[in-house]
Each structure stands twice: as structure tokens, then as C-alpha cells.
Amino acid sequence: MNTKGDKRTFRNEDLLLKVSKDIDAAIRNEAKYEAFLDELCGFREYQKEAIRTTLRYLLGGKYIDLRALAKINFDGNDELQERYGSWASMERHLQLPDKLSCSIDQATGTGKSYVLYGLAAIMLAEGVVDRVLVLCPSNTIEDGLLTKFRELAGNTNLRDSLPSTARLRTPSIINASQTIIDGAICVENYHAILENVRSSVRASVKNSGGRILILNDEAHHVATESGATSKKWKDFLEDDSNGFRYIVGVSGTCYVGDDYFSDVVHRYSLRQAIEENFVKKVEYVDELPAAAENPEEKWQLVYNRHLHWQRKLKSRGIRPLTIVVTKGIPEAERVAEELRDFLKEREKISADQAKAKVICVTSAAKHQPEIAKLKMVDSAASKVEWIVSVSMLSEGWDVKNVFQIVPHEERAFNSKLLIAQVLGRGLRRPENWRGEEPVVTVFNHDAWSGRIKHLVNEILEIERRLTSEVNPKSAFNFELHHLDYTRIEDTTEYTKKGEYRLFEDGYIDLPTQVEVEDVVVDFERAVTSEHVRFKTTVRHRTWSAEEVAEQMYQRLKSIDDESRSETKAKDRTQYAKRLPLAKCEEIVRRSLKEAKIESGRITDDNRQKFLQALGPLRRKTSKRVIYKLSPRALIKMNTCQRQVESCSAVELRRGSKSVFYAAGCEDSLVDEQREFFTEVDNEDGEFVKGRVKVAYSSDFKTPANLAIADATPERRFTRELTGRDNAQQIDAWLKNTPIGFYSMEFAWKKGEHPKRGEFSPDFFIKQGQSIFVVEIKGDEELSEPSPENTKKHEYATAHFERLNQWLKKGKVKAQYQFNMLSPKSYNVFFQKLRDRQLAGFRSELDVVMSRAAKLDG
């Protein structure tokens, strides 16, 4: 582990739960199954070791449950202690602590089904269990496992390699459409365990779970998914009436988001699989050319890499596949259409030919015929080259000819779990591959390359943070009031009259252009960090001078048509008469000549320059928009409802944020944050700029365990607020969160454009029946008040005046006062607070903002 800097880093390998090899031979004789493992796994030693390790845990008699295994490891592993902070914290992370449960982390494409079958066959042969239930997340995976298991169960060599003492040699391979009898391995989609689904599963396991082995394929679904049905997968495993004891999960993506599983007993990583040539090597984009910012030209780069693999694999008789991964069904449909249109134009093919090359695979009913094509995409008869998918292809798709993967949006690639799933679609090697190792290209955005590197390097990186959280039982919680508003938009228009003067120079100033641009895409190879440069070209879309002139002329005509409704002749435009088609073409050709563009063609970027020159002509009116807020109801709130907020190590080190806290704060933090807090609490440490320890706990009158202040003005104000003289004169206070708790809508103009936003005032201070609401700003606002802050002040002042009216009408005693405060007024503010004369206080900034609002109005 590395604790330097602002993040702690752990190697996944160091977070494994080690299972003792010191097993009494009288309890478990491992040697008698070695012939079986050799026949099942061949030279894949990692599969054998995964089976051996898991069986030592389940059958070795050393551990009564997962909790016992985890506790032994926690006590003897410094990395686990650093990662979780305390045994109680690690225990909370265990999925099924009361069962003999565990996870096996095995990279996608390395044969998880062999491990599953080996565990099932040996547990049945030993007579420890009577039946095996294999649960998986989809019908695709179920079909694949059933096929593989039936093949293995029918293998006479495998059956004959079992020891003579085996209680069972040939298990029945079934799904839940049949009764689950003794001696059966039942493979089923986990939806069959739901109470409202008719299947044999629930009835077959009731009160007999102690004699059943549960194997969860793609086990990350049990731990990570929050949907109602997937949660019932875990509920089914925990149900005491089932009484399950032996539970093993297998996954190539043992992550909850970016966090590694806490119950992994064996790991065969992607990095090992690449190094040992069991899967394809992986290359990913390290740097993209500027052309990739244009979607059409990004497709060209992806297409060119696809052609690169086509040429390279032609002699092997392999037709490479490219997969595009999107975040949802609508995006998949749109991308598939974009890709078909691109191929039609690029390859000069018909719509039907393009449709045959591109399939869209999602869970939508209309895409079901496309799913049937998946089983054939590796065959020579298939015409499919491009697959656009959502989560339908996340697991269980055993295709070997994928040589390029394109994560289309960041949301399809924003956690280790998702990255591992996306990579997994292209890792399997083609059959009988010989020679240079196969490579799959991940055509990611270059900003995402670091995420892939972290995944492959097996690093868990945890940013060090402190969290401010309100204690709902604190005596310093207090009631707040808000108003439920309806927003009314009031728009005033100012009409533009007459014509603009255009093209006085007779041409547009254009930048130099190239129609076919030489570009380079830099790839980095995972594991070796070898850099590969892919040199290719991008053909920019171009237009003729006549086409651009025609577009300009049509734009002018449409503007003239819009002006015909004007009653006064002087307000009706005649741009098309002043600039006929011939004149537009003359301007275009003169512009090309001035820019020394000799081809007569115009790139799309330069075409936009001509159309942008006509942009102001459509601005017929300017608008002034005012949003009026109409209150509908009074809302009661409480400070205990404030959500958590946090700050990072880098923010505290720089002093851009500060934490205020009192004695006992450490006890309120989660275990993982306590080590970091100890460093922050050190008055001689590196975080001295970002920490303030309040001397007396009784002066820290906030329900939050700690308060986070932004920048110097807030830090100074909070220091005053927690000073003894001031603290003794208030009942309680709360630092608001930047968004989400107590906020008000406001509107302002940014330049010429109306904007709307939400404003959350910084502090709520309770003194008797008065609630003083304070927004902190710097002294620079006194001389140059910003339009945004002026409107914040205006809207907040009006809001609290309306709120007081509602409170008075409702006979509620509380009264609110809003002040916008800068450091120049701190002394006066706190003097009035100490004297209990703060009601009616106006800061210098209040006056400046009110004056600015009047000038603006």
C-alpha cells in the first residue's frame, strides 16, 4: 500500500483472503482428485488452484463461516487493516458473513465454466452435497453453461478420472423446468428464484439448503445491482428457511463500482492472463488527434482501425468484429443508424447491405431477431462486422473474433466494473491461433486511458476524504422553514428593425484548410506500456463553391420571408435582392482566392464560417426575461435532514477548504477515514492550513460532526462563530451544503443570455426565535458586485421577506433575516450578535448589492 499524497493505493492481490494449506489429510485428501483436475483443466494451472483453494476453505474444517476466515486474515494482514480501518468496518463489507461463502476472481475469457463444473463435480463426488444450483444473470449465460456442462458430464475420460471412492460420477445437467433431484446440477437464470415465477427451484431447496452447493456465475450482480429483482437474488441466498451453507461466486469483475470485493479467496487477474497468453493483448488510446472531436471524423478513425484488422487477419480467414458499447437502448438505436449511414456513404453500399453489417443488440423486443445472429457472428457465413450493444453483451457472449471495442459514452466506461465488462467482450482468443499474439483495440476517449491502466495494474485507489455528517440525535438540530414555489416567466421583447450591413469587404476571412488530413492515433499496450502509433488519414467533408453559395442564398431568402409580416416597408428586409445567388457565389470564390484555397472545395469548418456570417440576421428580437416566484405552501424542514458533504486531502493541504471540529470528532467518522483524520488533527502536520480544532466542545454548537469551510472568508467567519464569546450567545448553527438541502432559485443575465440557477446560502444561525441566514463573499464584491451575486441577494432577500409573511400568517414565531456578508463587516455583525441586536442589521455588502439591483432594474 502507498499512503503518500492524497490517495491510498492497494494492490488487489494484497486484499485476498488467504486460505490455509495446512489441511488434515484425514479430513480432506486433495491428491485423489488431481487426475480429475488434470483432465478437466489441462495446462490451465490457475483453474486447478482456484478449485483447490475453494475446496480447502469449504471442506478443510478450518473455518466455520466467511466471518471466521476474514477475521483471521484481518488480524494478520496490514493491508486489510489499512484498507478497512477496523475489523468492524471490514465485517460490514462482507456480503454473506454467516455462510461458508467466498468469491473467485477470474479474468473474463479464461474459462470460469471449468472452475464451476469442477467445484460442482467434486462436491457431489465427495457426498458433501446432494445437489448443485448454479445461478446466473441471463438466459444467454444459462444456455452457454448448460451446453458446456452437458459436454463435460458426457466426457468418459473425465468421468473415469474420478477416484474409485466417488459417491457420484455422472451428474444430471438440468434447468429449473425439471424437478431438482439428488445428483443434479441445475443451471438457471436467477429470475427463476423469484416468488412470482413458476419453477422448481424454491420448492426443491426449502429446508434442505445445507446439502446444496450454490454457485453464482457473474457474482458481481449479487453485490452491485440495486434493482428490486436482483436484490432478491441476495435475499434468496440469505433466507434462513433455505438454510444454505456452501455459496461460491465466480466473476471476472469483482468490483462494487471501483471497490474490490472483500471475500475473494483466489484471483487470476487480467494482467496475468495477458502475460501468460490466455487472452488477447489489450491496446487502448493514449492520445487522439484533434479530428476525433468531430463525430463523423471519429467514425473514420474507428473505421480505419477496423480496416487495419481486416487486412491483417485476412490471411488467417478471420473477419474481425467491432463492438460499440452505449449507455442505453435509445443511444444504441441512434448509434446503429449513424453507423449504417456512415457505411453506406463510405463503402458505397445499399441500405440493406449496411443493415446486414451492423446489428443492434439490446433487451428491446424489436431487437430479439438480432440476438439470434450473435451465435453465428464468428462463422464464415455471417455478414456481421459491427455490433452496437448495451448491457445485453455484458456477460455470457462467447465470441472470439472481436478485435475492436468502442465505448461510445463515458457512462459506459466510468468504473472498474464497467471497464472490466467492456474489455471482457474482446479478450477471447480465436481458435488455433499461432504466431504473433492477437491484440484487441479499445478505441476509448484518450481522457479515459488512465482508468484502463489502473484496472490492468490491479490497483485500488481510494481518495482520502473527510465527511461532514449531521447527527440526527444532536441537541443542536433545529427547525427550518421554506416555501414551495411556482415559477412564472415574464418575457419582454425588443424588436430589431431594418437590415444589417453585410460583406462590406466582399469576402470572408478563412483559415487554411486541408481536405485529407494525415493523423496519428497513439495506442498504449496494457501490461508492457509499449506505445504503438497508428498512422492514418481523415477525409474532411467538403462542399463546392456553388453548394455553399446556394445555402447562403437560401438562408437570406428565408430571412426575407420572415420579415414580410412587418407592417412598415422599412422593417421588411430584401437581403436576397441585394445579394442574389451570383453575388453569393462571387463572395465565396473571392474568399477562397484570398485564403489561397485552389481546389474550389470548402471543408465543413469553413462552410460554417460563411453561414456564421449570416447568423445575426435571424436575431429579430432581443429579450429580457424575468422569473417571478409565486409561493404555494409553507414547508417545514429540520437540520437533521441535511445530506453529507466531504472534502479531499488535496483541498485541505492547499487550504482551499478547512475543517472545523471539536474533541470526539474521530468517533463519528467511518473507520476508513480515521487514519486520515489523525494526520489532519496533527497541529504540526502537512494539513495545518486546512484544519481548525475548536478549543471547547461546548462552543461547537452545530449538529454536524465537522464543518467544511470554503476559502479564507468562510474560514474566518466560522472561526468567529466558534469563538467562545460569540458561541455563548447563540443556540445552534448549521453550515449548509452547496447543493441539495436549502436552496432558492434565482435568475440573472450572463452577458446577453438569461440564466437560471440555484443558490444555497452558507450559514443558518439560531438565536432564540430568530434564524439569521448568512451568505459569505469576499471584500472584492464591495467595489465590483457581480450580476450573479446581485441577483442572489435580491432573490434571497425577497424570499425571506415572503417567508416571514407566511410565518406570521401561520402564527409561527420564528423570523428569518438574510445578510450577504464580507469580512469588512464581520466585527460589526458579531458585536450585534453578542449584544442580541442583530435584527435589522445590514452589512456594507447588503447596501452595495441593493444599490446594484436598483441600477440594474
Side-chain angles (χ1 to χ4, degrees):
M1 183 200 71
N2 177 10
T3 56
K4 293 180 180 179
D6 303 318
K7 296 182 179 179
R8 294 183 298 175
T9 57
F10 302 87
R11 293 180 66 251
N12 292 342
E13 192 68 32
D14 295 330
L15 302 178
L16 297 186
L17 302 184
K18 293 182 179 178
V19 177
S20 174
K21 294 183 180 180
D22 183 18
I23 302 298
D24 187 343
I27 297 176
R28 166 148 175 76
N29 181 6
E30 289 187 348
K32 65 181 181 179
Y33 287 100
E34 285 304 300
F36 175 79
L37 293 181
D38 288 342
E39 186 64 36
L40 175 67
C41 305
F43 57 87
R44 297 182 297 274
E45 291 297 325
Y46 60 88
Q47 294 176 350
K48 299 176 191 178
E49 193 53 38
I51 295 170
R52 292 186 194 111
T53 300
T54 306
L55 290 173
R56 287 178 199 133
Y57 167 57
L58 297 179
L59 305 179
K62 291 274 188 180
Y63 314 100
I64 60 170
D65 53 26
L66 174 60
R67 181 182 286 106
L69 173 67
K71 183 64 166 68
I72 291 171
N73 275 268
F74 181 84
D75 290 342
N77 185 336
D78 292 342
E79 300 292 321
L80 289 175
Q81 292 171 21
E82 293 285 356
R83 164 65 186 88
Y84 293 106
S86 70
W87 162 242
S89 175
M90 183 175 183
E91 190 176 22
R92 285 195 297 272
H93 282 78
L94 300 175
Q95 290 287 329
L96 300 165
D98 299 318
K99 314 288 185 183
L100 267 171
S101 67
C102 66
S103 295
I104 299 170
D105 182 1
Q106 189 170 310
T108 300
T110 58
K112 293 191 294 294
S113 57
Y114 290 92
V115 174
L116 290 168
Y117 184 81
L119 289 170
I122 293 175
M123 290 288 280
L124 288 168
E126 284 285 274
V128 177
V129 297
D130 302 319
R131 288 164 278 170
V132 177
L133 177 59
V134 183
L135 296 174
C136 55
S138 73
N139 291 332
T140 306
I141 297 176
E142 179 187 338
D143 291 344
L145 287 175
L146 284 169
T147 300
K148 175 61 72 176
F149 283 10
R150 284 168 180 155
E151 175 191 325
L152 293 172
N155 185 323
T156 56
N157 291 334
L158 193 58
R159 183 176 64 238
D160 292 345
S161 66
L162 286 167
S164 59
T165 56
R167 303 280 184 89
L168 179 72
R169 291 183 172 277
T170 307
S172 302
I173 310 301
I174 63 172
N175 63 15
S177 62
Q178 302 168 254
T179 302
I180 307 175
I181 58 174
D182 287 355
I185 300 176
C186 176
V187 182
E188 189 52 73
N189 185 332
Y190 82 89
H191 291 86
I193 66 176
L194 304 181
E195 291 180 355
N196 61 338
V197 175
R198 294 185 62 185
S199 79
S200 64
V201 174
R202 283 189 169 271
S204 300
V205 304
K206 202 72 172 176
N207 299 317
S208 59
R211 298 285 300 171
I212 296 173
L213 169 64
I214 301 292
L215 297 175
N216 297 311
D217 191 18
E218 306 298 351
H220 53 273
H221 286 271
V222 182
T224 63
E225 295 193 21
S226 57
T229 56
S230 53
K231 182 180 182 299
K232 289 182 179 178
W233 187 346
K234 185 177 178 183
D235 292 344
F236 173 73
L237 301 177
E238 293 179 317
D239 191 337
D240 289 337
S241 67
N242 294 328
F244 296 127
R245 175 165 172 74
Y246 304 107
I247 302 173
V248 179
V250 182
S251 176
T253 52
C254 286
Y255 294 98
V256 179
D258 285 332
D259 208 0
Y260 196 59
F261 277 15
S262 59
D263 65 350
V264 178
V265 297
H266 184 269
R267 172 177 172 79
Y268 186 67
S269 68
L270 174 58
R271 185 184 186 91
Q272 289 172 283
I274 292 172
E275 288 176 339
E276 296 174 9
N277 299 330
F278 283 112
V279 298
K280 295 190 189 92
K281 295 187 181 301
V282 177
E283 67 177 16
Y284 50 86
V285 172
D286 185 50
E287 186 174 348
L288 284 170
E293 296 302 317
N294 180 305
E296 195 273 341
E297 292 172 2
K298 169 80 176 288
W299 277 125
Q300 285 190 48
L301 296 174
V302 171
Y303 176 80
N304 291 349
R305 194 61 175 172
H306 182 82
L307 291 184
H308 163 83
W309 287 122
Q310 274 190 346
R311 291 190 293 268
K312 195 157 187 174
L313 298 169
K314 186 176 181 181
S315 62
R316 295 178 178 269
I318 294 175
R319 186 186 62 262
L321 298 166
T322 291
I323 299 179
V324 184
V325 184
T326 66
K327 65 181 180 181
I329 293 174
E331 292 80 11
E333 292 176 335
R334 177 179 55 78
V335 170
E337 282 306 310
E338 282 181 11
L339 184 51
R340 288 169 184 144
D341 290 342
F342 173 84
L343 292 176
K344 279 192 296 183
E345 183 176 341
R346 188 76 177 183
E347 298 184 354
K348 309 301 181 190
I349 58 177
S350 68
D352 287 342
Q353 289 173 312
K355 188 173 182 180
K357 288 192 173 193
V358 181
I359 62 173
C360 183
V361 180
T362 77
S363 58
K366 60 184 172 182
H367 295 145
Q368 295 309 299
E370 308 280 66
I371 294 175
K373 297 177 183 178
L374 283 178
K375 296 179 181 179
M376 300 296 295
V377 292
D378 273 346
S379 72
S382 173
K383 295 180 180 178
V384 176
E385 294 182 23
W386 303 79
I387 301 167
V388 182
S389 78
V390 202
S391 58
M392 179 62 67
L393 293 185
S394 60
E395 302 107 2
W397 188 56
D398 189 11
V399 172
K400 299 178 174 62
N401 289 351
V402 175
F403 281 83
Q404 183 169 231
I405 303 167
V406 184
H408 195 262
E409 297 104 351
E410 186 174 7
R411 275 185 58 187
F413 215 60
N414 63 2
S415 73
K416 286 187 176 180
L417 173 61
L418 290 174
I419 295 169
Q421 287 179 325
V422 169
L423 291 183
R425 306 289 54 82
L427 291 176
R428 290 181 172 84
R429 295 161 62 96
E431 298 286 355
N432 304 315
W433 185 277
R434 296 288 184 274
E436 182 184 3
E437 291 303 314
V439 178
V440 60
T441 296
V442 183
F443 213 104
N444 54 286
H445 192 290
D446 50 9
W448 310 340
S449 59
R451 302 176 189 177
I452 304 175
K453 186 177 294 188
H454 273 176
L455 176 78
V456 175
N457 288 343
E458 306 166 35
I459 289 173
L460 173 64
E461 193 169 73
I462 301 175
E463 186 175 33
R464 302 202 291 170
R465 303 186 74 84
L466 290 180
T467 299
S468 171
E469 186 171 7
V470 170
N471 177 2
K473 297 180 180 180
S474 171
F476 295 119
N477 279 305
F478 54 96
E479 193 173 72
L480 293 172
H481 302 85
H482 209 325
L483 292 172
D484 183 14
Y485 283 108
T486 299
R487 175 163 41 86
I488 303 170
E489 184 178 299
D490 181 19
T491 303
T492 305
E493 292 194 348
Y494 300 89
T495 305
K496 165 70 178 74
K497 305 294 184 180
E499 294 186 354
Y500 288 90
R501 300 173 68 180
L502 292 174
F503 305 119
E504 292 182 301
D505 294 331
Y507 68 94
I508 296 291
D509 190 16
L510 300 175
T512 301
Q513 67 178 38
V514 292
E515 295 168 29
V516 180
E517 184 179 351
D518 295 331
V519 298
V520 174
V521 180
D522 284 320
F523 291 101
E524 182 173 332
R525 293 278 167 89
V527 179
T528 64
S529 296
E530 172 192 357
H531 282 264
V532 178
R533 306 199 84 202
F534 175 51
K535 295 181 179 180
T536 187
T537 59
V538 169
R539 183 176 296 278
H540 298 294
R541 187 174 186 183
T542 61
W543 309 76
S544 68
E546 293 85 351
E547 289 172 322
V548 173
E550 176 69 25
Q551 292 173 31
M552 292 170 63
Y553 181 64
Q554 291 301 327
R555 180 76 60 90
L556 294 171
K557 284 178 64 178
S558 69
I559 293 167
D560 289 344
D561 290 342
E562 290 173 12
S563 74
R564 286 178 183 170
S565 60
E566 298 291 342
T567 54
K568 297 180 180 179
K570 67 176 183 177
D571 294 333
R572 294 192 287 269
T573 64
Q574 298 186 52
Y575 290 120
K577 184 175 181 180
R578 187 155 59 85
L579 295 166
L581 180 59
K583 181 63 176 177
C584 289
E585 187 173 335
E586 179 185 326
I587 291 168
V588 173
R589 294 194 181 279
R590 170 86 186 277
S591 301
L592 294 177
K593 183 177 180 181
E594 293 290 334
K596 296 182 172 55
I597 298 172
E598 298 178 355
S599 68
R601 305 291 297 180
I602 300 154
T603 63
D604 200 56
D605 282 347
N606 277 338
R607 179 184 71 96
Q608 293 294 338
K609 299 288 191 300
F610 287 102
L611 299 181
Q612 286 165 4
L614 305 179
L617 306 186
R618 286 196 178 274
R619 296 176 195 158
K620 308 296 290 182
T621 61
S622 60
K623 293 183 178 180
R624 182 184 182 189
V625 181
I626 299 175
Y627 294 99
K628 297 179 178 178
L629 299 174
S630 175
R632 294 184 298 186
L634 183 68
I635 302 171
K636 285 186 178 181
M637 304 172 64
N638 195 286
T639 54
C640 67
Q641 297 169 308
R642 197 209 74 173
Q643 63 269 67
V644 301
E645 67 167 328
S646 65
C647 58
S648 69
V650 67
E651 291 169 326
L652 296 178
R653 181 181 291 104
R654 292 173 180 167
S656 58
K657 289 193 176 182
S658 300
V659 288
F660 285 74
Y661 61 93
C665 176
E666 182 178 358
D667 296 336
S668 70
L669 297 171
V670 295
D671 295 327
E672 295 93 319
Q673 293 186 3
R674 290 183 180 179
E675 179 202 1
F676 176 42
F677 176 79
T678 302
E679 294 180 42
V680 173
D681 192 37
N682 182 359
E683 60 186 18
D684 297 320
E686 60 180 317
F687 297 102
V688 65
K689 288 184 179 179
R691 46 88 71 192
V692 178
K693 185 171 184 177
V694 179
Y696 301 99
S697 299
S698 58
D699 295 339
F700 195 59
K701 293 185 173 181
T702 179
N705 60 339
L706 56 87
I708 300 172
D710 294 336
T712 301
E714 279 192 18
R715 178 185 173 109
R716 286 181 56 189
F717 184 83
T718 311
R719 193 186 290 276
E720 291 287 344
L721 197 58
T722 55
R724 166 140 289 199
D725 291 344
N726 295 322
Q728 288 180 342
Q729 298 302 321
I730 62 176
D731 301 328
W733 61 274
L734 180 77
K735 176 69 167 61
N736 197 8
T737 50
I739 56 173
F741 177 56
Y742 196 112
S743 61
M744 296 162 283
E745 191 170 317
F746 75 108
W748 82 103
K749 282 183 72 175
K750 188 173 183 179
E752 295 299 316
H753 304 287
K755 302 276 288 181
R756 283 189 295 114
E758 286 197 339
F759 159 50
S760 299
D762 293 318
F763 292 90
F764 293 87
I765 303 169
K766 185 176 189 302
Q767 188 182 59
Q769 298 297 331
S770 298
I771 305 291
F772 298 105
V773 186
V774 179
E775 171 69 6
I776 301 297
K777 296 297 176 189
D779 281 332
E780 66 276 1
E781 290 285 336
L782 292 169
S783 55
E784 294 184 21
S786 71
E788 183 178 350
N789 286 331
T790 300
K791 286 299 181 181
K792 283 181 180 179
H793 185 274
E794 180 183 330
Y795 274 75
T797 301
H799 163 76
F800 287 108
E801 287 175 355
R802 280 191 294 268
L803 177 59
N804 285 335
Q805 291 169 8
W806 277 70
L807 292 170
K808 185 177 180 180
K809 186 167 59 176
K811 297 182 179 179
V812 179
K813 293 182 178 180
Q815 284 287 288
Y816 288 74
Q817 176 175 303
F818 174 76
N819 294 107
M820 190 172 276
L821 203 61
S822 74
K824 190 173 182 181
S825 296
Y826 284 1
N827 287 343
V828 179
F829 176 90
F830 282 106
Q831 183 174 328
K832 291 295 183 181
L833 181 141
R834 290 191 296 272
D835 295 341
R836 294 185 172 265
Q837 296 177 356
L838 199 53
F841 167 85
R842 277 169 60 77
S843 71
E844 292 200 30
L845 192 53
D846 285 327
V847 174
V848 167
M849 290 296 173
S850 297
R851 187 185 303 128
K854 289 177 181 177
L855 292 173
D856 182 59

